[in-house]
Amino acid sequence: MGEWRTDPTFAMCRALVDGAELSSFVGGPFDVRAVAAAIRPEAADGFLLDEVPWENFPQGDHVRDVVHLLHTGDSLNRPGAGVVSGMCANDMRAATVLAVPFLIRIAADTRHPHRADALAEVSSPARARHFGVACRNELLLHRTGTRDDTLYDDYGVEVTGYPAGWSVAAARAAITADTALLLPLLNDSSPATRIRAAFRTRLSTEQDPLVRAAMVLATAEATRNQPHPPTTAWMGELWRDRTQVPEVRLAAAIGWLCLTDGHTPDDLHAAVDDLASDERAHAMEALPWMAAAGRSGETGLRHCIREMLHPEQPDPAGCDDPWAPNH
């Protein structure tokens, strides 16, 4: 893996720091939105990786190698699993965007042994920096639009200096372009796959508690991006509904808190504190939102509850210890 400062994109980032206008690079070879949009469907279908200018972006060659290994890997190991999400966690996502069309095709291949791993990686580049974030106003935040007239838009910059908003926009566009490939995953036999392809439309028929919870959080995240008061009201009814499984009620409570900014009802406090057992908190780590919100020494659910409902509580011991298990 080469040093990112030697990548061609670094020259653009250096120029931006020195006062160049971001708009002057729009549509060029270092605009990942334009580069990702130019990937031919035929190239993605045939895994023609050499057609993609991976080298234009920090650690792009490494991402290309990961996609190749994941595509050709045998069933005895999990080559490349976690690399894309790991780079996004390190706030270096520009090159990972180019992997999205290929990851979607691996996920859509019912015969591929690593399809669930590939699908798990797809959404990471499409989200703003969110790892370890569990507060009410940030957990499900999807900023809308990015401006080309300033480097420091709502998304800021990645660790390399690359405009993060460009990466997020490009990843979302790539996912949208391949929606037809993702929709069949709603009927997949694997709960893990259905969790990552969750939509509210399946809530009425889905039986697995964690998949149902994922659908609720996916709905809340979409509503945060495009406000819809009836959905927010429905979310409020859902966490109060004692006929729902605890996982759904917890997901609805967190979703409702992220969609509103008013006083937190006492009965929500009581419901969450009653339902959030340690066993359930660990089980809900299977949900991408909870896994992302977690920190060493603290599960995502516990972190969300503490940030949203008990901000007076101090950080647990070891939460910044990379070797500490999630409690």
Side-chain angles (χ1 to χ4, degrees):
M1 184 186 306
E3 166 61 43
W4 62 265
R5 290 180 180 84
T6 65
D7 283 280
T9 311
F10 184 66
M12 181 190 86
C13 298
R14 180 72 265 176
L16 293 172
V17 171
D18 291 340
E21 293 293 331
L22 184 60
S23 57
S24 66
F25 295 97
V26 170
F30 304 130
D31 183 345
V32 73
R33 301 170 301 179
V35 173
I39 298 176
R40 297 185 306 117
E42 296 81 5
D45 291 342
F47 284 84
L48 305 179
L49 301 180
D50 290 341
E51 285 196 12
V52 180
W54 307 90
E55 68 281 358
N56 282 16
F57 302 93
Q59 296 191 8
D61 288 339
H62 178 53
V63 176
R64 181 204 180 281
D65 292 343
V66 165
V67 172
H68 174 72
L69 287 174
L70 195 59
H71 174 51
T72 61
D74 59 47
S75 59
L76 298 179
N77 54 61
R78 300 168 65 194
V83 170
V84 168
S85 56
M87 286 180 62
C88 293
N90 290 331
D91 204 18
M92 186 183 293
R93 62 177 58 79
T96 69
V97 172
L98 304 181
V100 169
F102 302 99
L103 292 172
I104 288 175
R105 282 157 177 78
I106 293 173
D109 183 353
T110 59
R111 299 166 297 177
H112 201 287
H114 306 304
R115 58 195 302 258
D117 291 325
L119 184 59
E121 302 283 78
V122 167
S123 65
S124 292
R127 304 185 70 193
R129 182 168 48 195
H130 62 286
F131 291 90
V133 172
C135 57
R136 188 173 176 177
N137 64 338
E138 290 283 341
L139 177 67
L140 301 179
L141 180 61
H142 270 210
R143 298 169 178 86
T144 56
T146 57
R147 302 188 300 276
D148 288 333
D149 60 344
T150 174
L151 176 61
Y152 299 100
D153 60 16
D154 286 344
Y155 288 97
V157 295
E158 299 176 10
V159 67
T160 61
Y162 193 79
W166 282 13
S167 298
V168 173
R172 292 180 184 173
I175 293 172
T176 300
D178 283 329
T179 298
L181 294 175
L182 291 169
L183 287 177
L185 299 180
L186 289 172
N187 296 310
D188 196 88
S189 61
S190 166
T193 299
R194 298 200 307 277
I195 284 174
R196 292 161 180 149
F199 289 89
R200 180 183 169 183
T201 54
R202 278 291 300 257
L203 188 62
S204 61
T205 58
E206 179 60 54
Q207 299 300 312
D208 188 284
L210 287 178
V211 179
R212 288 170 61 82
M215 292 176 179
V216 172
L217 286 172
T219 300
E221 186 170 49
T223 305
R224 182 69 190 267
N225 187 37
Q226 296 181 325
H228 185 244
T231 298
T232 301
W234 170 77
M235 201 76 62
E237 296 170 0
L238 203 57
W239 66 256
R240 292 185 172 93
D241 186 353
R242 294 178 179 272
T243 67
Q244 298 289 339
V245 295
E247 291 82 359
V248 166
R249 294 184 66 195
L250 286 167
I254 290 171
W256 185 85
L257 286 168
C258 292
L259 294 174
T260 60
D261 55 10
H263 173 72
T264 302
D266 291 340
D267 53 344
L268 186 146
H269 271 272
V272 169
D273 289 342
D274 178 57
L275 297 172
S277 65
D278 288 340
E279 180 180 4
R280 195 160 288 127
H282 282 285
M284 290 182 72
E285 287 293 281
L287 303 176
W289 301 268
M290 295 298 99
R295 302 185 299 174
S296 55
E298 188 175 36
T299 63
L301 180 63
R302 289 292 182 203
H303 191 195
C304 287
I305 292 172
R306 187 170 57 79
E307 289 278 356
M308 297 181 189
L309 300 180
H310 304 288
E312 74 285 353
Q313 294 181 358
D315 288 350
C319 69
D320 293 323
D321 179 1
W323 303 108
N326 284 351
H327 296 305

